[in-house]
Protein backbone atom coordinates (compact mmCIF):
# COMPACT_ATOMS: atom_id res chain seq x y z
CA UNK A 1 0.00 0.00 0.00
CA UNK A 2 1.48 3.34 -1.07
CA UNK A 3 1.18 6.32 1.26
CA UNK A 4 2.89 9.39 -0.16
CA UNK A 5 6.53 8.51 -0.80
CA UNK A 6 6.36 5.32 1.29
CA UNK A 7 5.13 1.78 0.72
CA UNK A 8 3.53 0.04 3.72
CA UNK A 9 3.39 -3.74 3.97
CA UNK A 10 1.86 -6.10 6.54
CA UNK A 11 4.45 -8.23 8.32
CA UNK A 12 4.06 -11.96 8.94
CA UNK A 13 7.42 -12.51 10.66
CA UNK A 14 8.72 -9.59 12.71
CA UNK A 15 12.20 -11.05 13.17
CA UNK A 16 12.66 -11.56 9.43
CA UNK A 17 11.29 -8.10 8.64
CA UNK A 18 13.62 -6.38 11.10
CA UNK A 19 16.60 -8.38 9.86
CA UNK A 20 15.78 -7.62 6.21
CA UNK A 21 15.40 -3.92 6.95
CA UNK A 22 18.80 -3.79 8.63
CA UNK A 23 20.44 -5.61 5.72
CA UNK A 24 18.83 -3.40 3.07
CA UNK A 25 19.61 -0.22 5.00
CA UNK A 26 23.34 -0.96 4.71
CA UNK A 27 23.38 -2.55 1.26
CA UNK A 28 25.45 -0.77 -1.37
CA UNK A 29 26.49 -1.67 -4.90
CA UNK A 30 26.26 -0.74 -8.55
CA UNK A 31 23.72 -2.04 -11.05
CA UNK A 32 20.64 -2.20 -8.84
CA UNK A 33 18.50 -0.20 -6.45
CA UNK A 34 16.67 -1.36 -3.32
CA UNK A 35 13.99 0.52 -1.38
CA UNK A 36 15.47 1.92 1.80
CA UNK A 37 13.53 0.88 4.91
CA UNK A 38 11.89 3.55 7.04
CA UNK A 39 12.21 3.31 10.82
CA UNK A 40 9.94 4.60 13.55
CA UNK A 41 11.20 7.24 16.04
CA UNK A 42 12.15 4.34 18.34
CA UNK A 43 14.30 2.80 15.60
CA UNK A 44 11.98 -0.16 14.98
CA UNK A 45 11.14 -1.15 11.43
CA UNK A 46 7.92 -2.97 12.38
CA UNK A 47 5.11 -1.10 14.13
CA UNK A 48 1.71 -2.66 14.85
CA UNK A 49 2.39 -5.40 12.33
CA UNK A 50 3.44 -3.07 9.49
CA UNK A 51 6.75 -2.11 7.87
CA UNK A 52 7.52 0.83 5.60
CA UNK A 53 10.05 1.56 2.87
CA UNK A 54 10.66 4.29 0.37
CA UNK A 55 8.65 4.17 -2.86
CA UNK A 56 10.71 3.47 -5.97
CA UNK A 57 9.35 4.15 -9.41
CA UNK A 58 9.41 1.54 -12.13
CA UNK A 59 7.35 -1.07 -13.93
CA UNK A 60 7.43 -4.75 -12.97
CA UNK A 61 7.52 -7.54 -15.52
CA UNK A 62 10.60 -9.19 -17.04
CA UNK A 63 9.30 -9.77 -20.57
CA UNK A 64 11.77 -8.08 -22.88
CA UNK A 65 13.99 -7.17 -19.91
CA UNK A 66 15.50 -10.51 -18.94
CA UNK A 67 19.17 -9.53 -19.48
CA UNK A 68 18.70 -6.46 -17.26
CA UNK A 69 16.87 -8.45 -14.60
CA UNK A 70 19.50 -11.18 -14.45
CA UNK A 71 22.32 -8.62 -14.35
CA UNK A 72 20.60 -6.77 -11.50
CA UNK A 73 20.25 -10.05 -9.62
CA UNK A 74 23.95 -10.79 -10.01
CA UNK A 75 24.87 -7.33 -8.78
CA UNK A 76 22.53 -7.68 -5.81
CA UNK A 77 23.96 -11.06 -4.84
CA UNK A 78 27.50 -9.74 -5.09
CA UNK A 79 26.53 -6.97 -2.68
CA UNK A 80 24.92 -9.52 -0.33
CA UNK A 81 28.03 -11.71 -0.25
CA UNK A 82 29.34 -11.92 3.30
CA UNK A 83 25.97 -11.28 4.97
CA UNK A 84 25.72 -13.71 7.90
CA UNK A 85 23.11 -16.46 7.83
CA UNK A 86 20.14 -15.53 10.05
CA UNK A 87 18.77 -18.09 12.52
CA UNK A 88 15.14 -17.51 11.53
CA UNK A 89 15.68 -19.42 8.27
CA UNK A 90 15.68 -22.66 10.28
CA UNK A 91 12.33 -21.82 11.92
CA UNK A 92 10.34 -20.89 8.84
CA UNK A 93 7.59 -23.36 7.97
CA UNK A 94 5.64 -21.69 5.17
CA UNK A 95 5.24 -23.59 1.86
CA UNK A 96 8.18 -21.84 0.18
CA UNK A 97 10.55 -22.62 3.05
CA UNK A 98 9.54 -26.28 3.02
CA UNK A 99 9.84 -26.40 -0.77
CA UNK A 100 13.35 -24.95 -0.58
CA UNK A 101 14.44 -27.67 1.83
CA UNK A 102 12.91 -30.37 -0.36
CA UNK A 103 14.70 -29.03 -3.44
CA UNK A 104 18.01 -29.35 -1.59
CA UNK A 105 17.19 -32.81 -0.17
CA UNK A 106 17.13 -31.61 3.43
CA UNK A 107 13.61 -32.97 3.99
CA UNK A 108 11.25 -35.22 2.06
CA UNK A 109 7.59 -34.56 1.30
CA UNK A 110 5.15 -36.72 -0.66
CA UNK A 111 3.61 -34.51 -3.36
CA UNK A 112 0.08 -34.60 -4.66
CA UNK A 113 -0.44 -37.39 -7.20
CA UNK A 114 -0.75 -35.07 -10.19
CA UNK A 115 2.75 -33.67 -9.53
CA UNK A 116 4.56 -36.98 -9.07
CA UNK A 117 5.45 -37.56 -12.72
CA UNK A 118 7.12 -34.17 -13.35
CA UNK A 119 8.84 -34.47 -9.96
CA UNK A 120 10.19 -37.94 -10.81
CA UNK A 121 11.73 -36.58 -14.02
CA UNK A 122 13.35 -33.66 -12.22
CA UNK A 123 14.58 -35.79 -9.32
CA UNK A 124 16.23 -38.18 -11.79
CA UNK A 125 18.25 -35.24 -13.15
CA UNK A 126 19.40 -33.96 -9.76
CA UNK A 127 23.10 -34.32 -8.97
CA UNK A 128 25.26 -32.91 -6.13
CA UNK A 129 26.19 -29.23 -6.28
CA UNK A 130 29.38 -28.00 -4.65
CA UNK A 131 29.06 -24.23 -4.45
CA UNK A 132 29.31 -21.83 -1.51
CA UNK A 133 26.08 -20.64 0.04
CA UNK A 134 25.15 -17.07 0.89
CA UNK A 135 22.07 -14.90 1.32
CA UNK A 136 20.12 -14.65 -1.95
CA UNK A 137 16.84 -13.16 -3.15
CA UNK A 138 14.65 -16.14 -4.02
CA UNK A 139 11.88 -14.39 -5.96
CA UNK A 140 13.38 -12.00 -8.49
CA UNK A 141 11.28 -12.51 -11.63
CA UNK A 142 8.27 -10.43 -10.63
CA UNK A 143 10.06 -8.21 -8.15
CA UNK A 144 12.35 -6.09 -10.28
CA UNK A 145 11.11 -2.68 -11.40
CA UNK A 146 12.38 -1.03 -14.57
CA UNK A 147 12.50 2.74 -15.11
CA UNK A 148 14.29 4.54 -17.92
CA UNK A 149 17.46 6.22 -16.74
CA UNK A 150 17.70 4.26 -13.48
CA UNK A 151 19.16 0.96 -12.40
CA UNK A 152 16.58 -1.81 -11.91
CA UNK A 153 14.94 -1.71 -8.48
CA UNK A 154 14.77 -5.00 -6.57
CA UNK A 155 11.83 -5.18 -4.17
CA UNK A 156 10.11 -7.67 -1.83
CA UNK A 157 13.30 -9.24 -0.49
CA UNK A 158 12.83 -13.02 -0.06
CA UNK A 159 15.95 -14.31 1.70
CA UNK A 160 17.29 -17.85 1.36
CA UNK A 161 20.72 -19.36 2.08
CA UNK A 162 21.84 -20.95 -1.19
CA UNK A 163 24.45 -20.50 -3.96
CA UNK A 164 24.27 -17.03 -5.50
CA UNK A 165 23.39 -18.41 -8.93
CA UNK A 166 20.41 -20.24 -7.45
CA UNK A 167 18.57 -16.93 -7.23
CA UNK A 168 19.18 -16.55 -10.96
CA UNK A 169 18.02 -20.13 -11.55
CA UNK A 170 14.74 -19.47 -9.74
CA UNK A 171 14.18 -16.41 -11.94
CA UNK A 172 14.82 -18.51 -15.06
CA UNK A 173 12.51 -21.25 -13.79
CA UNK A 174 9.79 -18.66 -13.23
CA UNK A 175 10.33 -17.35 -16.75
CA UNK A 176 9.87 -20.83 -18.18
CA UNK A 177 6.83 -21.56 -16.01
CA UNK A 178 4.91 -18.29 -15.93
CA UNK A 179 6.43 -15.59 -18.12
CA UNK A 180 6.19 -17.26 -21.54
CA UNK A 181 9.96 -17.57 -21.90
CA UNK A 182 11.48 -20.26 -24.07
CA UNK A 183 14.60 -22.38 -23.52
CA UNK A 184 16.70 -19.52 -24.91
CA UNK A 185 16.31 -17.85 -21.50
CA UNK A 186 18.57 -20.54 -20.05
CA UNK A 187 21.32 -19.32 -22.37
CA UNK A 188 21.13 -15.82 -20.90
CA UNK A 189 22.01 -17.09 -17.44
CA UNK A 190 25.54 -16.88 -16.13
CA UNK A 191 25.49 -19.45 -13.39
CA UNK A 192 28.61 -21.42 -14.26
CA UNK A 193 29.00 -25.16 -14.64
CA UNK A 194 26.43 -25.94 -11.95
CA UNK A 195 23.65 -23.85 -13.47
CA UNK A 196 21.69 -26.73 -14.98
CA UNK A 197 21.66 -28.45 -11.59
CA UNK A 198 20.58 -25.23 -9.91
CA UNK A 199 17.76 -24.91 -12.44
CA UNK A 200 16.63 -28.47 -11.70
CA UNK A 201 16.45 -27.55 -8.01
CA UNK A 202 14.65 -24.29 -8.82
CA UNK A 203 11.95 -26.18 -10.69
CA UNK A 204 11.61 -28.65 -7.80
CA UNK A 205 11.36 -25.68 -5.44
CA UNK A 206 8.52 -24.13 -7.42
CA UNK A 207 6.79 -27.51 -7.80
CA UNK A 208 6.75 -28.14 -4.06
CA UNK A 209 5.72 -24.57 -3.28
CA UNK A 210 2.70 -25.14 -5.53
CA UNK A 211 2.12 -28.50 -3.85
CA UNK A 212 2.18 -26.94 -0.40
CA UNK A 213 -0.10 -24.05 -1.33
CA UNK A 214 -2.65 -26.41 -2.88
CA UNK A 215 -2.59 -28.69 0.16
CA UNK A 216 -2.94 -25.68 2.46
CA UNK A 217 -5.91 -24.25 0.56
CA UNK A 218 -7.52 -27.55 -0.38
CA UNK A 219 -7.64 -26.62 -4.07
CA UNK A 220 -6.66 -28.83 -6.98
CA UNK A 221 -3.49 -28.24 -8.95
CA UNK A 222 -4.47 -26.49 -12.20
CA UNK A 223 -3.74 -28.62 -15.25
CA UNK A 224 -1.91 -25.73 -16.92
CA UNK A 225 0.52 -25.66 -13.98
CA UNK A 226 1.35 -29.33 -14.44
CA UNK A 227 1.82 -28.77 -18.16
CA UNK A 228 4.16 -25.87 -17.37
CA UNK A 229 6.44 -28.09 -15.31
CA UNK A 230 6.45 -30.75 -18.01
CA UNK A 231 7.33 -28.19 -20.68
CA UNK A 232 10.07 -26.58 -18.55
CA UNK A 233 11.58 -29.98 -17.82
CA UNK A 234 11.54 -30.84 -21.52
CA UNK A 235 13.56 -27.67 -22.11
CA UNK A 236 16.38 -29.03 -19.95
CA UNK A 237 16.99 -31.72 -22.54
Amino acid sequence: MRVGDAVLKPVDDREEAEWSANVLARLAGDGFRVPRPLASPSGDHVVDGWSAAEFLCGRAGPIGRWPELLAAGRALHEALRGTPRPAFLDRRSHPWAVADRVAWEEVTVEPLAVLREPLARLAAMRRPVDAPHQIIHGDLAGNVLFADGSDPAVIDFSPYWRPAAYGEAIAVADGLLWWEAGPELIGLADGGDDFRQLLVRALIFRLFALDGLCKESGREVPEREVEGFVSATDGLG
Side-chain angles (χ1 to χ4, degrees), residues 1-230:
M1 176 175 65
R2 182 179 177 184
V3 179
D5 292 329
V7 175
L8 274 61
K9 292 177 55 178
V11 169
D12 294 322
D13 185 323
R14 182 187 181 96
E15 181 183 4
E16 180 173 338
E18 289 283 1
W19 176 88
S20 295
N22 285 315
V23 169
L24 295 176
R26 299 191 303 269
L27 199 62
D30 296 326
F32 68 95
R33 296 176 289 150
V34 292
R36 297 304 173 184
L38 303 176
S40 70
S42 67
D44 293 331
H45 293 97
V46 179
V47 177
D48 294 334
W50 290 82
S51 65
E54 67 174 328
F55 171 78
L56 294 180
C57 62
R59 182 181 297 274
I63 296 176
R65 313 296 292 259
W66 284 108
E68 296 163 80
L69 183 145
L70 296 176
R74 291 170 205 145
L76 173 74
H77 291 140
E78 180 62 31
L80 287 168
R81 192 183 306 275
T83 302
R85 186 182 189 277
F88 66 77
L89 292 178
D90 295 325
R91 297 192 291 272
R92 296 194 303 192
S93 60
H94 54 64
W96 297 274
V98 174
D100 172 66
R101 296 178 192 125
V102 174
W104 288 85
E105 299 180 272
E106 295 170 357
V107 299
T108 57
V109 172
E110 184 66 23
L112 294 166
V114 71
L115 294 172
R116 290 174 190 164
E117 182 176 349
L119 171 63
R121 292 182 60 195
L122 288 165
M125 298 179 185
R126 187 166 49 187
R127 301 289 183 273
V129 171
D130 183 18
H133 289 203
Q134 66 164 78
I135 287 294
I136 67 165
H137 190 316
D139 194 19
L140 286 169
N143 290 312
V144 178
L145 308 180
F146 300 96
D148 292 340
S150 299
D151 288 329
V154 184
I155 62 172
D156 289 347
F157 188 30
S158 298
Y160 293 85
W161 185 256
R162 298 301 177 197
Y166 184 56
E168 190 166 337
I170 295 172
V172 170
D174 290 353
L176 299 175
L177 292 170
W178 299 309
W179 291 97
E180 302 176 0
E184 65 276 4
L185 177 58
I186 301 173
L188 296 177
D190 186 27
D193 294 338
D194 286 329
F195 189 75
R196 186 174 183 275
Q197 281 300 315
L198 295 173
L199 185 52
V200 167
R201 283 165 173 76
L203 288 168
I204 294 174
F205 166 60
R206 287 306 194 199
L207 184 147
F208 271 98
L210 174 64
D211 177 76
L213 289 169
C214 287
K215 289 174 178 174
E216 197 173 76
S217 66
R219 68 181 178 92
E220 295 184 356
V221 179
E223 184 177 348
R224 67 180 182 279
E225 296 274 21
V226 180
E227 292 171 352
F229 281 101
V230 171

